[in-house]
Amino acid sequence: MKIVTLLENTSRRSGLAAARGLSLYLETARRRVLFDMGPDASFLENARVLGVDISAVDAAVLSHGHSDHGGGLAAFCKANQQAKIYLRREALGAYYAVLPGQEPGYVGLPPEAGDLAERFAYTGALERLDQGLTLFSGVEDQPSLRAAAPKLQEKTMEGFRPDGFAHEQHLLAEENGKAVLLAGCGHLGIVNILRAAERRLGRRPDMVFGGFHLFELKPDAPESQALLAATAAELAKGTTIYYTGHCTGDWAYDRLRETLGDRLRVMDCGAAAEL
């Protein structure tokens, strides 16, 4: 089983473009899966440089309905003519970043996403894509461990309301006795998501790739300190290795690494692992 970071906010490797977003590639003996498509078509050229054939992908997953993960949907459909795209129906909602004194900024999927409906396969709370590949959602156990995302809201007929992230889903892949968890942004809290994966797997996954959405934490705020401490303590249990970046944030990453050491690794463009 192989995981490759096709696109992320940062790139330390020559020839790879960086953009604020995320795209991961998962390859098992049976399937080739694209997990998120970044904000635009940048992931396609990176895939070529990294030796990943996007046209050979046989399943694509959209982790949630934000443009930095699904802006490249149309580009993927042009490069790959057959793979179904698995997403929550709620991913097509109207999602915004709402800040005091500013006009709400749209952060949902591009309008043309609706034109791709024939490629979509809508998922429930638990979906088995294939042997050893499971999508799951609806994981929140402890609100106190939920990632900080106060500005993210959904626009409804009644106005704006806090995003409940019903559009978020995660992929658990198992092969040859090993398991990896792929998470897009972890808005519901990486600890909550990890616990949900553990319940389905019967143990902790060997590896996690994904964003932890902690970049909005204010370092001087007591609630930020408490969330980081609780998250670090929970992630430290077991032997799981974590590749993270995108929306985790430098301050949060550095704090987590104080506890996790080499078990916490940078998920930048080209970062890869095999299990």
Side-chain angles (χ1 to χ4, degrees):
M1 185 158 49
K2 177 170 69 174
I3 310 96
V4 181
T5 309
L6 300 182
L7 187 78
E8 200 266 344
N9 301 30
T10 57
S11 176
R12 295 172 178 83
R13 178 170 166 176
S14 177
L16 295 180
R20 193 187 187 287
L22 185 64
S23 181
L24 302 171
Y25 172 74
L26 169 72
E27 184 174 317
T28 70
R30 293 171 55 90
R31 302 298 295 268
R32 294 174 176 84
V33 181
L34 182 68
F35 186 88
D36 287 343
M37 303 89 184
D40 51 35
S42 300
F43 75 97
L44 291 175
E45 177 60 18
N46 284 0
R48 187 192 65 78
V49 173
L50 293 165
V52 173
D53 183 0
I54 293 298
S55 69
V57 163
D58 51 48
V61 172
L62 183 64
S63 67
H64 62 290
H66 287 167
S67 60
D68 54 339
H69 294 251
L73 271 168
F76 170 72
C77 289
K78 289 181 181 178
N80 180 297
Q81 301 296 314
Q82 78 283 340
K84 281 291 186 182
I85 301 165
Y86 294 86
L87 72 162
R88 299 281 289 166
R89 190 175 293 274
E90 293 88 346
L92 299 174
Y95 300 107
Y96 287 77
V98 181
L99 294 168
Q102 299 182 25
E103 285 293 315
Y106 181 71
V107 297
L109 298 179
E112 61 267 25
D115 299 332
L116 306 172
E118 73 279 359
R119 297 286 296 273
F120 293 165
Y122 297 111
T123 57
L126 188 65
E127 295 282 344
R128 184 180 180 186
L129 299 188
D130 197 354
Q131 180 180 329
L133 290 177
T134 305
L135 283 169
F136 64 96
S137 56
V139 303
E140 187 168 4
D141 296 321
Q142 287 188 238
S144 64
L145 291 172
R146 185 170 176 163
K151 71 180 183 183
L152 295 177
Q153 299 191 29
E154 180 180 10
K155 188 176 183 180
T156 69
M157 297 292 290
E158 292 75 35
F160 288 100
R161 67 181 183 189
D163 192 341
F165 300 105
H167 55 112
E168 188 172 68
Q169 60 181 351
H170 325 281
L171 178 62
L172 184 61
E174 305 168 62
E175 187 175 60
N176 297 327
K178 299 292 185 179
V180 62
L181 170 66
L182 303 188
C185 272
H187 296 105
L188 293 176
I190 190 59
V191 170
N192 290 326
I193 296 165
L194 185 63
R195 287 174 175 172
E198 184 177 6
R199 286 195 298 272
R200 288 163 176 81
L201 188 62
R203 62 179 181 86
R204 295 228 161 167
D206 299 281
M207 195 170 286
V208 173
F209 267 75
F212 296 172
H213 206 87
L214 299 169
F215 78 99
E216 294 186 67
L217 292 180
K218 298 177 180 179
D220 296 332
E223 57 269 25
S224 297
Q225 300 282 353
L227 176 58
L228 256 296
T231 299
E234 187 67 25
L235 297 186
K237 297 176 181 177
T239 59
T240 303
I241 293 171
Y242 303 93
Y243 282 83
T244 193
H246 177 47
C247 57
T248 298
D250 292 341
W251 176 74
Y253 182 93
D254 291 342
R255 285 293 310 276
L256 291 174
R257 205 167 197 280
E258 290 174 6
T259 299
L260 296 169
D262 289 341
R263 288 174 53 204
L264 187 69
R265 303 176 186 181
V266 175
M267 181 186 66
D268 58 358
C269 292
E274 292 193 32
L275 287 172

